[in-house]
C-alpha cells in the first residue's frame, strides 16, 4: 500500500534537485545514483559485487566493495532517519529496496492519477525535473547506459502527471496553479505545441493576453532556430484569436513568412 498522504510532499525526491526529507543530503554523489537505480529497478534484488563493479569499474573488486559499503551506510542512515527501518535491505551479498516499505516514499512512485490530489501534493510537481538532475558519473559506462532510458521513463510519467494535475486545477478554476503546472510541462517538453496552446489559453483566461502572445513568440523563435520549422496552424490561429484582445497588435498570416516574421507586432 502506498505511503503517500494525499496532501503532502514525497519524502525522497529524485526528479530535479535530489533530497531526502526536509533538506536531507547524502555524503556521496554515487549514493544518489545508487538510490535512483534501486528505486527504478524495484523489486529486483541486486548483488553487491555487481553494483560495486557498475559504480567503480576502475577499481579492484575489494576496493570497489569497500566504497560501496561506505555509500550504503550513509544511504541507510539517511533513509532510516526519514522513513524508519526496513526500507533499504542489505545483507552480505545483496541489496535492494523493500517493495512494500518503500512504495510511495519516492516522487517517482507518486505520478499515478489517484496520487496527485490537493494543493500541497501538486506543489512538488511544479519543481520536479529530470531524474538525477545534474548528476553525472564519469567512466561508469554501465550506469551511463542505464540512465538515459530511466530518465525517459521518468519524464513520460512526469509529463502525464503534470497534464492531469493541470486539467484538475483548470476544472476547479485554480488558474494560478494551472499556469504553474503548465509552464513546468512546457519547460520540460518545449516543442509540445498542444501544451503550448494550453498555456496560452490559460494566460488569456487569466486576462493576460500579452503573456499568451509572449509564449507564442518564444515558441516561434525556438522552432525556427532549433528545428527550422513554423508553429502549427492551430497554434498560430490561437495566437491570432488572442491578439484580438490586444488591438494594438496583429499577427501575420501563418504561411506568409518564416516563423521569425510571426513575432512582428507581438508583445515581448
Amino acid at each position: 500500500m502506498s505511503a503517500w498522504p494525499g496532501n503532502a510532499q514525497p519524502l525522497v525526491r529524485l526528479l530535479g534537485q535530489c533530497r531526502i526529507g526536509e533538506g536531507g543530503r547524502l555524503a556521496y554523489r554515487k549514493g544518489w545514483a545508487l538510490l535512483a537505480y534501486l528505486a527504478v529497478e524495484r523489486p529486483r534484488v541486486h548483488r553487491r559485487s555487481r553494483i560495486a563493479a557498475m559504480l567503480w569499474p576502475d577499481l579492484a573488486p575489494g576496493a570497489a566493495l569497500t566504497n560501496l559499503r561506505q555509500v550504503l551506510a550513509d544511504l541507510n542512515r539517511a533513509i532510516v532517519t526519514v522513513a524508519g527501518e526496513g526500507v533499504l535491505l542489505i545483507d552480505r551479498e545483496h541489496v535492494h529496496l523493500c517493495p512494500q516499505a518503500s512504495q510511495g516514499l519516492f516522487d517517482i512512485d507518486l505520478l499515478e492519477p489517484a496520487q496527485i490530489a490537493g494543493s500541497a501534493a501538486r506543489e512538488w510537481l511544479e519543481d520536479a525535473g529530470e531524474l538525477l538532475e545534474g548528476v553525472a558519473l564519469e567512466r561508469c559506462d554501465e550506469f551511463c547506459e542505464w540512465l538515459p532510458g530511466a530518465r525517459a521513463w521518468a519524464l513520460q510519467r512526469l509529463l502525464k502527471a503534470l497534464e492531469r494535475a493541470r486539467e484538475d486545477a483548470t476544472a476547479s478554476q485554480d488558474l494560478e496553479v494551472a499556469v504553474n503546472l503548465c509552464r513546468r510541462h512546457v519547460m520540460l517538453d518545449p516543442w509540445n505545441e498542444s501544451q503550448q496552446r494550453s498555456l496560452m489559453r490559460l494566460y488569456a483566461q487569466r486576462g493576460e493576453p500579452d503573456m499568451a502572445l509572449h509564449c507564442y513568440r518564444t515558441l516561434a523563435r525556438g522552432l525556427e532556430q532549433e528545428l527550422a520549422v513554423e508553429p502549427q496552424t492551430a497554434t498560430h490561429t490561437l495566437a491570432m484569436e488572442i491578439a484580438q484582445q490586444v488591438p494594438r497588435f496583429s499577427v501575420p498570416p501563418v504561411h506568409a513568412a518564416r516563423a521569425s516574421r510571426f513575432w512582428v507586432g507581438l508583445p515581448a
Side-chain angles (χ1 to χ4, degrees):
M1 185 175 73
S2 171
W4 170 257
N7 199 32
Q9 301 279 339
L11 289 176
V12 182
R13 297 190 58 169
L14 300 173
L15 302 173
Q17 183 181 5
C18 297
R19 60 180 181 267
I20 297 179
E22 293 296 328
R25 295 287 184 268
L26 297 179
Y28 305 101
R29 180 182 47 151
K30 289 186 178 179
W32 288 116
L34 175 57
L35 183 57
Y37 184 81
L38 296 176
V40 172
E41 296 295 329
R42 285 172 292 175
R44 292 175 52 197
V45 177
H46 308 273
R47 293 189 64 84
R48 290 175 62 159
S49 58
R50 182 181 176 278
I51 295 293
M54 178 177 68
L55 295 180
W56 292 276
D58 295 338
L59 296 182
L65 284 168
T66 296
N67 285 357
L68 177 61
R69 183 165 57 251
Q70 295 172 344
V71 168
L72 284 173
D74 178 65
L75 182 56
N76 190 56
R77 173 199 53 77
I79 291 179
V80 168
T81 298
V82 299
E85 302 281 353
V87 176
L88 182 61
L89 303 180
I90 306 170
D91 61 32
R92 291 176 60 88
E93 299 292 334
H94 303 95
V95 57
H96 70 288
L97 288 171
C98 175
Q100 292 75 32
S102 65
Q103 181 61 34
L105 296 178
F106 296 84
D107 51 7
I108 60 173
D109 300 334
L110 309 176
L111 300 177
E112 300 299 329
Q115 303 286 15
I116 306 300
S119 58
R122 290 193 300 257
E123 285 176 4
W124 68 271
L125 276 176
E126 298 177 18
D127 296 322
E130 184 178 62
L131 180 71
L132 290 180
E133 189 171 282
V135 175
L137 302 185
E138 298 80 11
R139 299 186 298 277
C140 296
D141 292 346
E142 183 180 350
F143 182 83
C144 291
E145 290 174 2
W146 171 85
L147 185 56
R151 281 176 167 166
W153 169 82
L155 177 60
Q156 290 307 308
R157 287 167 57 86
L158 174 57
L159 293 177
K160 289 178 181 178
L162 284 166
E163 184 172 5
R164 289 191 299 264
R166 186 260 303 165
E167 290 172 347
D168 290 344
T170 302
S172 62
Q173 291 298 301
D174 194 344
L175 298 185
E176 181 177 359
V177 169
V179 164
N180 290 340
L181 291 168
C182 200
R183 287 177 60 187
R184 190 59 179 169
H185 194 144
V186 165
M187 184 179 298
L188 294 169
D189 191 14
W191 310 135
N192 186 328
E193 291 199 43
S194 174
Q195 294 303 319
Q196 293 275 6
R197 291 192 293 272
S198 293
L199 182 57
M200 292 167 64
R201 291 189 188 97
L202 285 168
Y203 275 127
Q205 193 173 347
R206 286 209 314 182
E208 300 176 86
D210 287 10
M211 286 298 299
L213 295 176
H214 174 70
C215 292
Y216 178 79
R217 293 179 68 249
T218 302
L219 170 65
R221 179 167 58 246
L223 287 173
E224 184 191 39
Q225 293 176 349
E226 300 295 330
L227 304 177
V229 298
E230 302 170 352
Q232 296 172 0
T233 300
T235 309
H236 185 80
T237 300
L238 177 61
M240 293 177 64
E241 294 171 354
I242 294 174
Q244 294 177 4
Q245 304 175 37
V246 191
R248 64 188 183 280
F249 298 107
S250 62
V251 182
V254 68
H255 296 301
R258 297 294 299 174
S260 60
R261 293 180 58 190
F262 290 177
W263 328 322
V264 176
L266 294 183

